[in-house]
């Protein structure tokens, strides 16, 4: 009898809960490889006088972050991250990227020696000396375990509603890639394994910056033609960013779900576009709008724009990425939102 693998989900927002629904339904069908119970770390909070973990474990619904969708009963919410990861073979990281280091600090020394991780987190971490790190690299460094990435055109509520969609797993190791595909793939969630690990993850981070720009264009009252220009110019800068900083990247990766598909869906839906639109019309700060509009969820676009700008500035390369730079400066209040159109009109034809 082979050792059965345990899967633990680190995070329980709307995307974490949507993924928990898939994994929770998948594992019992593979009883020769996986334990059926899925642990999910839930940051404990009170909702209508009850603990969120208690609601999830009793009513099988994350009423705060993914209301209206039932979770399988084998998904067990656990309020202590160390307890949730106990005995796990596969850790699925799906929480705001700002919290990764703190969670990893709690997990140090608590994991099995052959544990692997997969990150569904879209963002970067600021490194000392003016650089940035992939979130998978942070997890690898902090925990000393391999970490892969899953990215794609995946709005959480649509995935939870079982609308057909695709995603990309970035994994060079074929055996591990096949194992992760089994964990995540379902009849409505199709996965392609791609060996270009870094580019898969970089696309997932950068597209949120472009989505903020798409929201600015919406808030300024422009239509789909303008948004198409934002998407095209944003994709150009994404490709150039990978060429400059990840020279082994392959252009074919941008045609996977993690690339152009994720970029398009995020520029038309998703919280970054929505909050950026409100920012352009309301006169309120990004932080204010995040609190008012997102029910405890976190934006990824503005902090990722800051992280990317931190590196571009340190390397004197802001002018080479004018769209990313303008979006950061508008988020920080250094430019007026209407100046975003100047960026589009003056953007170089070729990069």
């Amino acid at each position: 009898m082979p050792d059965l693998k345990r899967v633990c989900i680190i995070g329980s927002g709307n995307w974490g809960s949507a993924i928990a629904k898939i994994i929770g339904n998948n594992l019992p069908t593979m009883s020769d490889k996986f334990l059926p119970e899925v642990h999910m770390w839930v940051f404990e909070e009170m909702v209508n006088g009850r603990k969120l973990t208690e609601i999830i474990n009793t009513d099988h619904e994350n009423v705060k972050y993914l209301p209206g969708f039932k979770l399988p009963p084998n998904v067990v919410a656990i309020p202590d991250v160390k307890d949730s990861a106990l005995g796990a073979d596969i850790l699925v990281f799906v929480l705001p990227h700002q919290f990764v280091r703190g969670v990893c600090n709690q997990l140090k020394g608590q994991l099995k020696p052959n544990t692997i991780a997969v990150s569904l987190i879209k963002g970067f971490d600021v490194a000392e000396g003016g650089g940035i790190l992939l979130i998978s690299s942070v997890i690898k460094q902090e925990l000393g375990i391999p970490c892969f990435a899953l990215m794609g055109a995946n709005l959480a509520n649509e995935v939870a509603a079982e609308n057909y969609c695709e995603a990309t797993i970035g994994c060079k190791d074929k055996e591990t890639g096949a194992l992760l595909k089994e964990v995540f793939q379902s009849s409505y969630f199709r996965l392609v394994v791609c060996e270009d690990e870094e580019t898969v993850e970089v696309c997932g981070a950068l597209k949120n910056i472009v989505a903020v720009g798409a929201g600015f264009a919406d808030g300024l009252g422009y239509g789909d033609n303008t948004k198409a220009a934002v998407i095209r110019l944003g994709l150009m800068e994404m490709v150039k960013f990978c060429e400059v900083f990840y020279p082994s990247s392959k252009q074919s990766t941008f045609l996977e779900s993690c690339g152009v598909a994720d970029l398009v869906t995020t520029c038309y839906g998703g919280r970054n576009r929505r909050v950026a639109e409100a920012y352009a019309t309301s006169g309120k700060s990004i932080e204010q709008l995040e609190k008012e509009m997102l029910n405890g969820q976190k934006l990824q676009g503005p902090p990722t724009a800051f992280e990317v700008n931190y590196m571009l500035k340190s390397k004197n390369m802001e002018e080479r990425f004018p769209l990313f730079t303008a979006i950061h400066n508008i988020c920080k209040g250094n430019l007026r939102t209407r100046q975003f159109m100047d960026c589009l009109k003056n953007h170089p034809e070729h990069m």
Side-chain angles (χ1 to χ4, degrees), residues 36 40 42 80 85-86 89 99 106 137 149 161 170-171 176 184 274 305 337:
M40 179 169 73
V42 174
D80 184 286
L86 198 63
D89 299 278
F99 304 132
Q106 294 182 66
S137 299
C171 181
T176 303
F184 291 100
R274 192 158 46 95
T337 314

Side-chain angles (χ1 to χ4, degrees), residues 17-316:
S17 298
I19 281 296
K21 181 174 181 270
I22 292 175
I23 297 174
N25 283 323
N26 279 354
L27 297 197
T29 70
M30 298 180 282
S31 55
D32 58 326
K33 290 185 181 177
F34 298 97
L35 292 166
E37 188 173 85
V38 182
H39 288 177
M40 179 169 73
W41 173 58
V42 174
F43 181 77
E44 191 69 280
E45 49 191 312
M46 300 300 289
V47 180
N48 298 326
R50 295 172 69 195
K51 290 180 178 177
L52 185 54
T53 53
E54 179 203 325
I55 295 170
I56 292 171
N57 291 333
T58 307
D59 303 343
H60 307 296
E61 182 182 351
N62 188 336
V63 294
K64 179 157 186 185
Y65 297 110
L66 195 69
F69 296 100
K70 288 292 180 185
L71 298 177
N74 57 314
V75 173
V76 179
I78 298 174
D80 184 286
V81 71
K82 293 192 291 293
D83 290 345
S84 71
L86 198 63
D89 299 278
I90 300 173
L91 294 176
V92 179
F93 279 84
V94 54
L95 70 164
H97 72 279
Q98 302 93 311
F99 304 132
V100 170
R101 283 191 185 275
V103 165
C104 285
N105 280 333
Q106 294 182 66
L107 293 176
K108 277 181 186 173
Q110 307 291 320
L111 304 177
K112 290 167 71 171
N114 295 322
T115 303
I116 64 170
V118 56
S119 170
L120 280 62
I121 300 167
K122 297 174 176 178
F124 296 105
D125 189 70
V126 171
E128 287 181 22
I132 55 176
L133 290 170
L134 297 174
I135 297 301
S136 64
S137 299
V138 174
I139 294 167
K140 286 175 192 171
Q141 288 176 11
E142 293 291 317
L143 297 178
I145 62 175
C147 184
F148 309 97
L150 185 154
M151 303 284 150
N154 309 134
L155 299 178
N157 281 56
E158 293 186 17
V159 176
E162 303 188 8
N163 292 355
Y164 178 78
C165 61
E166 301 174 319
T168 313
I169 294 175
C171 181
K172 287 187 176 76
D173 183 83
K174 287 187 177 175
E175 193 177 322
T176 303
L179 179 73
L180 293 174
K181 186 171 179 175
E182 284 187 288
V183 171
F184 291 100
Q185 181 157 276
S186 73
S187 60
Y188 59 90
F189 192 61
R190 181 175 181 265
L191 284 166
V192 173
V193 180
C194 174
E195 293 185 6
D196 191 5
E197 291 180 10
E198 289 181 329
T199 311
V200 168
E201 191 172 353
V202 172
C203 283
L206 294 180
K207 58 93 190 186
N208 280 328
I209 304 177
V210 185
V212 172
F216 292 157
D218 287 340
L220 291 166
Y222 292 92
D224 286 341
N225 293 346
T226 307
K227 190 178 288 189
V230 174
I231 291 170
R232 186 187 76 82
L233 296 171
L235 182 59
M236 276 175 62
E237 293 200 8
M238 288 168 63
V239 171
K240 176 57 69 176
F241 190 90
C242 286
E243 285 176 357
V244 172
F245 298 111
Y246 301 92
S248 64
S249 68
K250 297 173 184 168
Q251 289 215 355
S252 59
T253 306
F254 290 92
L255 298 178
E256 299 292 349
S257 181
C258 62
V260 68
D262 195 9
L263 176 62
V264 169
T265 198
T266 312
C267 286
Y268 277 91
R271 68 189 81 154
N272 290 287
R273 188 217 62 79
R274 192 158 46 95
V275 172
E277 180 181 20
Y279 180 72
T281 57
S282 68
K284 296 178 179 177
S285 70
I286 294 279
E287 293 76 18
Q288 229 179 324
L289 291 165
E290 184 180 61
K291 283 177 188 164
E292 288 177 13
M293 296 175 67
L294 297 185
N295 192 34
Q297 295 178 77
K298 292 290 180 188
L299 279 179
Q300 301 302 318
T304 304
F306 167 80
E307 290 142 12
V308 166
N309 186 260
Y310 173 79
M311 183 165 80
L312 295 178
K313 198 168 189 175
S314 75
K315 297 181 184 300
N316 200 27

